[in-house]
Amino acid sequence: MTLLAVSSLTKRYVSGTRPVTALDDVSLTLDRGQTLGLAGVSGSGKSTLARILLRLMPADGGMVRFEADDWLSLSGRDLRRRRARMQMVFQDVLGAFNPRATVGSVLDDPLRIHSPLKERDRRTEIAALLDRVGLQAALATRSIRDVSGGQRQRVAIARAIATRPSLIVLDEAVSALDVSVRETILRLLVELQQERGIAYLFISHDLAVLRAVSHRIAVMDAGRIVECGPAGDVIERPRSDAARSLVAAVPRLVIRG
């Protein structure tokens, strides 16, 4: 069942005096409980697409349907209410958090805004969220600056699942982690998807990461999707020059069974 449908999305801007087409007639779909890997080199349009989906910037044209809503037309209270269903995990996790926040306050914010839980019940839920991502409840009192990069990424995932979203957008979410931590985080994401039926739009320049977690992969180049298909087909039989270049740099990393 289709969860997200992007149709003919476009975005243009001016860099200096030079016009740039960041997105050029981009269309894609993502089913519930599935992972669509979005691959491409820097500047191919991946993060621009993510920011538009998250309503962090406007599109110049096209349509996005999310859970049957005309997503780009929502505003005000309707948009605030629906935001809980689409969450984000960034590459720069520390930059996405208030550096003065504690781990507990990072997780309390979405619960306070989007759930009816009272403070005592929120503390219980925070402990449960930390446990689910493999962290101890005592970590809640620690400053977000004083935990490791891998722990911060787990906190970011805990925050993303706190509102019980149907879709999480992950933008280069494991690229700053070392290999052993990266594999652990990817396994956690696969487990959470199997448990909760979450869909992922997983953005990365690294096809090894996308092969590990994706059901389908779309490849972007110069603002366009130049190839899309089952993950194995795109990896083993790339058709576009952009996909072949990415495949040539792929080490082996197997997570998804």
Side-chain angles (χ1 to χ4, degrees):
M1 184 177 180
T2 300
L3 173 70
L4 176 73
V6 176
S7 303
S8 302
L9 207 61
T10 61
K11 179 65 180 179
R12 298 179 180 86
Y13 61 89
V14 176
S15 176
T17 59
R18 182 173 62 92
V20 175
T21 300
L23 296 180
D24 185 6
D25 195 31
V26 169
S27 298
L28 57 82
T29 60
L30 174 57
D31 288 347
R32 292 181 181 275
Q34 298 285 295
T35 298
L36 175 64
L38 189 62
V41 298
S42 296
S44 60
K46 307 185 306 296
S47 293
T48 298
L49 176 58
R51 288 194 288 269
I52 289 174
L53 292 179
L54 291 157
R55 299 294 304 272
L56 300 178
M57 68 166 54
D60 293 328
M63 176 175 284
V64 176
R65 297 202 71 83
F66 173 59
E67 292 189 325
D69 286 325
D70 182 353
W71 185 242
L72 300 185
S73 72
L74 293 177
S75 61
R77 181 179 300 175
D78 288 339
L79 178 58
R80 287 193 297 273
R81 178 173 54 85
R82 301 293 287 134
R83 275 189 186 279
R85 302 293 293 161
M86 186 189 298
Q87 293 294 305
M88 178 82 176
V89 177
F90 295 91
Q91 174 183 6
D92 180 12
V93 177
L94 190 56
F97 293 150
N98 179 344
R100 294 186 294 275
T102 64
V103 169
S105 66
V106 162
L107 298 179
D108 186 59
D109 285 344
L111 294 172
R112 177 173 47 80
I113 294 168
H114 294 294
S115 81
L117 296 175
K118 295 182 179 179
E119 183 176 356
R120 182 177 61 185
D121 295 327
R122 294 202 307 271
R123 288 197 298 268
T124 300
E125 180 65 11
I126 287 168
L129 286 166
L130 289 172
D131 179 70
R132 182 57 199 90
V133 298
L135 297 174
Q136 295 182 347
L139 203 70
T141 60
R142 296 271 299 276
S143 167
I144 197 68
R145 293 175 299 182
D146 294 337
V147 298
S148 71
Q151 288 174 323
R152 279 198 294 269
Q153 204 67 335
R154 288 173 184 265
V155 172
I157 293 168
R159 182 176 69 168
I161 66 174
T163 62
R164 302 189 180 278
S166 58
L167 172 62
I168 298 177
V169 179
L170 302 109
D171 190 2
E172 299 286 1
V174 298
S175 63
L177 304 176
D178 66 44
V179 172
S180 61
V181 176
R182 182 184 310 171
E183 291 194 26
T184 301
I185 295 297
L186 293 177
R187 290 185 188 280
L188 172 62
L189 289 167
V190 170
E191 289 172 5
L192 288 169
Q193 183 174 67
Q194 292 169 346
E195 289 173 9
R196 302 185 177 215
I198 303 168
Y200 297 135
L201 179 63
F202 205 117
I203 298 169
S204 180
H205 66 281
D206 186 342
L207 279 185
V209 168
L210 296 185
R211 175 171 59 185
V213 297
S214 301
H215 298 92
R216 296 165 56 241
I217 293 175
V219 179
M220 293 194 70
D221 185 37
R224 298 182 63 87
I225 291 182
V226 295
E227 186 165 349
C228 186
D233 290 352
V234 173
I235 298 292
E236 303 300 333
R237 294 177 291 279
R239 302 187 311 272
S240 64
D241 290 340
R244 283 191 286 269
S245 295
L246 292 170
V247 167
V250 174
R252 186 146 188 87
L253 177 62
V254 177
I255 301 295
R256 181 172 292 284

